Amino acid sequence: MMEAPSSLEQRVPAEERHWIERVARFVARDRDGDLAEALLLRLLRITRNGRRWGFLANDHPLHPYYLQQKVSEQCRILRPRHAADR
């Protein structure tokens, strides 16, 4: 059964949603996700490519969606699997 999209998800354009979800998965799966996120923020400052990386900044309107996706992915990774899945 599919979950209904959250109101936050509905406000994010599809092309940006895909990019944000990919970056959130990358950061969540990285062994040192904080370092990966810091490097991406540095990339944002260096390139000034706010259109592509702006959601990483705390004051960006899409930052809450990024955080939601990152935490969701971290929870999915940490969630124990059922014995039947092993």
Side-chain angles (χ1 to χ4, degrees):
M1 180 191 317
M2 290 186 58
E3 294 179 25
S6 68
S7 63
L8 182 59
E9 187 175 353
Q10 291 173 343
R11 294 188 309 234
V12 179
E15 62 278 356
E16 291 184 59
R17 187 178 328 127
H18 177 70
W19 177 246
I20 291 170
E21 290 169 358
R22 286 183 62 190
V23 172
R25 269 193 306 274
F26 168 75
V27 171
R29 290 179 181 174
D30 190 64
R31 197 181 320 193
D32 192 358
D34 292 337
L35 179 60
E37 195 169 56
L39 290 172
L40 291 172
L41 278 167
R42 182 173 161 92
L43 180 64
L44 169 63
R45 285 192 299 277
I46 291 170
T47 64
R48 293 187 177 93
N49 193 349
R51 188 164 188 228
R52 184 69 180 235
W53 301 98
F55 63 87
L56 292 166
N58 292 333
D59 60 347
H60 193 277
L62 296 178
H63 187 71
Y65 181 72
Y66 164 71
L67 290 178
Q68 176 187 16
Q69 293 304 308
K70 182 176 82 168
V71 169
S72 175
E73 184 65 20
Q74 288 169 333
C75 290
R76 192 187 68 72
I77 291 169
L78 295 174
R79 188 175 313 137
R81 294 182 179 190
H82 297 288
D85 292 343
R86 291 183 191 174

